Amino acid sequence: MRWILAMLVWAGTAQADGIAALTAAADTAFARMPDVMIVDQVAGQCGATAGVDARVAYCTSQNTIFIAETERAKPQTLFLLGHAFGHAVQVQHGV
């Protein structure tokens, strides 16, 4: 049982490192990239309603990407974060 718990903790840490690595890569590649914030829930952040993706969302007015705490350790979160950075590039660089 301890081994399983250790693996779950390690997986969460690895994912958090992935978020940091992806954020660093975006910052290196483009100027004015958004801050990334882990929040309890995306709804309510930056005017987001229940209709906004509850996992990861980019706020143009605050130039911030919000990641729901519940999504932090899921493998697909890096893909969603990359997608949000793509929107940031579009907004910040007029693409």
Side-chain angles (χ1 to χ4, degrees):
M1 184 64 157
R2 288 183 188 177
W3 182 81
I4 292 171
L5 181 59
M7 290 303 292
L8 290 173
V9 169
W10 176 81
T13 302
Q15 186 68 13
D17 291 344
I19 290 170
L22 184 54
T23 301
D27 286 339
T28 299
F30 297 98
R32 302 185 311 275
M33 285 292 90
D35 294 326
V36 176
M37 293 182 60
I38 307 296
V39 294
D40 289 334
Q41 64 180 19
V42 171
Q45 303 293 330
C46 189
T49 63
V52 173
D53 192 327
R55 302 167 296 175
V56 176
Y58 171 55
C59 173
T60 58
S61 63
Q62 294 179 7
N63 194 33
T64 302
I65 295 174
F66 297 100
I67 300 175
E69 177 66 43
T70 57
E71 302 301 309
R72 182 182 209 163
K74 294 181 180 177
Q76 66 268 26
T77 300
L78 292 178
F79 294 101
L80 296 169
L81 180 58
H83 180 89
F85 273 121
H87 285 293
V89 170
Q90 289 176 316
V91 170
Q92 296 296 323
H93 298 280
V95 177

